[in-house]
C-alpha cells in the first residue's frame, strides 16, 4: 500500500535506504563476510567474458555493473539491450557467462536471449526482484534484489538494488580471482545508505529544482562522463517516461559532435559531476552550453563541488556514486511529472512488465 505517500513511485524512492540495508543484511553471513552461493561464484569466476543482457532501467544498471566487474573483478564485460541481442548476436567468447538483469524477471526480450543462450549451452545468472519469476526459473542461478514489490511503472528502487547487488557480486568474484580491490563494500554501501537518506530528506529541494528547470520546458538534456554518463541515461529515461518531456542523456564529450545544435535560450541541461577524473572536463561542457543560452542544473559531490552548483550529494566511493546521484534525478523527475499533471505511477502507453517481444 502507498501509506502516507501520494504515489507508489515516491514511496519506492523513499524506501531505498531500507532496500540498501536489506541487501547488506542478506548478502552478509554472521561473520560479516560477503555471502553468495559457491556455485554462482564458481560459474562467474570460470567465465572469460560476461554478457549482461537487459532492457530499459535494468540495462542502465548493467552499464554501471560492467564497470564494477571490469575494474574490480578484472573480467571483460559487455552490456547489451536484449531486443537487439536477439537479432544481432555479438561474437561470443569461448566461455561466456550471461547475466540477465530484470526487476520483474518476466521481460520477454530478455527471455528470448536466455532461451538462445541455453540452446548454445551457456551458463546464466538472473538478477531479479521476483523469486520464481520466469527468468529466475530458467537461468542456472539467481540473485535476488530484496527490494520488495515495485509497483510504479517507473523503476527506482530496483535500479539501486541492482547496482548494489552487482557491486557485491563483483567484489566476491574479485576475491575468487585472488584480487584485492581495496574496497570494503559493506561499509561503503553503509555510507551510500546514509547519503540516500539525506537526499530523500531533501525532497523539497528536488521539488524546487523541478520547478526551476522543468516546469514548462519541451525538452531537457542530461550530461555526464564515465559513471555519470550512465546515470544521465537513466535520468533521461525516468524523466521522459513519466513527464513526457523529451529528454536525452549523453556523454559530455559528444555534445560538440551534434547535440549542441539543439541548445537554445533556456534549454535545461542537467549535468552530473561526481567523478574526480572528469570533473573539469564536464564543467567545460557546461560552459559550452551556457555560452549558447542553456540553463544549467549541476549536481556534484562533496569534495568536487564548485560555487553555485545546484545540488551537492554527500561523498561516497566514486564507483558507487550512481546509487546516490540517481536518487536526486528520480525525485526531480517525480516532481516534474507531478507539477505537469501527469499520472506518475501509470504513464501512458507503458506496462510495468513487458511480456511481449
Ligand atoms: O522488469 P525489467 O527490469 O526486465 O524491466 C525492464 C524495463 O522494461 C524497465 O526497466 C523499464 O524501462 C522501466 N519502466 C523504466 O522505469
Amino acid at each position: 500500500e502507498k501509506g502516507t505517500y501520494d504515489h507508489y513511485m515516491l514511496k519506492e524512492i523513499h524506501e531505498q535506504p531500507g532496500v540498501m540495508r536489506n541487501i547488506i543484511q542478506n548478502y552478509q553471513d554472521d561473520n560479516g563476510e560477503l555471502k553468495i552461493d559457491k556455485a554462482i561464484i564458481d560459474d562467474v569466476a570460470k567465465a572469460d567474458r560476461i554478457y549482461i543482457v537487459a532492457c530499459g532501467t535494468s540495462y542502465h544498471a548493467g552499464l554501471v555493473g560492467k564497470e564494477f566487474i571490469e575494474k574490480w573483478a578484472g573480467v571483460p564485460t559487455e552490456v547489451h539491450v536484449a531486443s537487439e541481442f536477439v537479432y544481432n548476436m555479438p561474437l561470443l567468447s569461448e566461455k561466456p557467462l550471461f547475466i540477465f538483469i530484470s526487476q520483474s524477471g518476466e521481460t520477454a526480450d530478455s527471455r528470448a536471449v536466455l532461451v538462445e543462450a541455453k540452446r548454445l549451452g551457456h551458463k546464466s545468472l538472473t538478477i531479479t526482484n521476483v523469486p520464481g519469476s520466469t527468468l529466475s526459473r530458467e537461468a542456472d542461478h539467481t540473485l535476488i534484489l530484496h527490494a520488495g514489490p515495485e509497483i510504479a511503472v517507473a523503476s527506482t528502487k530496483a535500479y539501486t538494488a541492482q547496482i548494489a547487488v552487482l557491486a557485491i557480486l563483483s567484489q566476491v568474484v574479485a576475491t575468487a580471482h585472488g584480487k584485492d580491490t581495496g574496497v570494503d563494500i559493506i561499509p561503503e554501501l553503509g555510507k551510500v545508505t546514509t547519503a540516500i537518506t539525506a537526499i530523500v530528506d531533501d525532497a523539497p529541494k528536488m521539488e524546487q529544482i523541478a520547478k526551476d528547470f522543468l516546469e514548462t520546458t519541451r525538452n531537457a538534456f542530461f550530461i555526464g562522463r564515465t559513471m555519470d554518463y550512465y546515470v544521465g541515461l537513466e535520468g533521461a529515461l525516468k524523466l521522459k517516461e513519466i513527464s513526457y518531456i523529451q529528454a536525452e542523456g549523453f556523454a559530455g564529450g559528444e555534445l560538440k559532435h551534434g547535440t549542441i545544435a539543439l541548445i537554445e535560450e533556456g534549454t535545461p541541461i542537467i549535468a552530473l559531476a561526481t567523478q574526480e577524473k572528469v570533473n573539469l572536463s564536464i564543467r567545460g561542457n557546461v560552459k559550452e552550453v551556457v555560452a549558447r543560452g542553456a540553463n544549467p542544473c549541476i549536481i556534484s559531490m562533496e569534495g568536487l563541488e564548485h560555487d553555485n552548483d545546484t545540488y551537492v550529494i554527500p561523498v561516497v566511493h566514486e564507483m558507487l556514486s550512481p546509487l546516490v546521484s540517481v536518487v536526486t534525478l528520480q525525485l526531480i523527475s517525480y516532481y516534474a511529472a507531478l507539477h505537469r499533471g501527469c499520472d506518475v505511477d501509470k504513464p501512458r502507453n507503458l506496462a510495468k512488465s513487458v511480456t511481449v517481444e
Side-chain angles (χ1 to χ4, degrees), residues 46-267:
K46 263 187 245 156
D48 62 352
R49 186 172 285 258
I50 290 175
Y51 295 81
I52 295 180
V53 177
C55 309
T57 288
S58 298
Y59 168 75
H60 294 153
L63 295 172
V64 175
K66 168 195 157 84
E67 300 299 320
F68 301 153
I69 302 173
E70 292 203 332
K71 302 223 160 68
W72 289 339
V75 184
T77 301
E78 297 178 15
V79 194
H80 292 271
V81 167
S83 57
E84 281 297 303
F85 195 103
V86 174
Y87 296 105
N88 196 9
M89 180 140 21
L91 198 57
L92 297 180
S93 65
E94 267 176 34
K95 283 179 281 171
L97 174 98
F98 283 78
I99 299 184
F100 295 90
I101 307 179
S102 175
Q103 188 285 132
S104 63
E106 300 298 342
T107 300
D109 288 320
S110 299
R111 176 162 187 262
V113 180
L114 174 55
V115 168
E116 183 59 10
K118 283 175 68 168
R119 196 186 64 78
L120 294 168
H122 300 314
K123 291 278 183 189
S124 51
L125 160 67
T126 291
I127 301 181
T128 182
N129 204 20
V130 184
S133 57
T134 305
L135 286 167
S136 166
R137 279 185 280 111
E138 296 185 356
D140 294 302
H141 307 289
T142 299
L143 289 174
I144 295 293
L145 296 175
H146 301 289
E150 192 181 65
I151 310 290
V153 165
S155 183
T156 54
K157 62 178 179 171
Y159 172 84
T160 42
Q162 287 161 347
I163 292 177
V165 170
L166 283 161
I168 292 171
L169 175 68
S170 307
Q171 288 293 329
V172 171
V173 175
T175 308
H177 281 296
K179 287 196 158 66
D180 179 5
T181 63
V183 179
D184 206 352
I185 194 71
I186 296 294
E188 294 297 346
L189 287 174
K191 282 185 218 157
V192 162
T193 308
T194 311
I196 296 177
T197 306
I199 291 170
V200 294
D201 288 348
D202 250 357
K205 281 196 193 143
M206 305 317 147
E207 184 164 15
Q208 191 58 48
I209 293 174
K211 277 194 187 142
D212 293 345
F213 292 88
L214 302 169
E215 193 106 293
T216 56
T217 192
R218 225 165 22 96
N219 55 11
F221 297 101
F222 291 74
I223 59 170
R225 285 169 179 254
T226 68
M227 300 300 253
D228 290 335
Y229 164 40
Y230 304 144
V231 179
L233 294 176
E234 173 56 11
L237 175 58
K238 215 83 305 168
L239 186 64
K240 74 180 112 177
E241 80 177 317
I242 61 171
S243 76
Y244 316 137
I245 295 170
Q246 189 170 11
E248 195 188 339
F250 54 94
E254 277 290 289
L255 262 173
K256 56 187 175 300
H257 298 288
T259 314
I260 203 161
L262 294 170
I263 305 297
E264 295 174 344
E265 198 55 44
T267 304

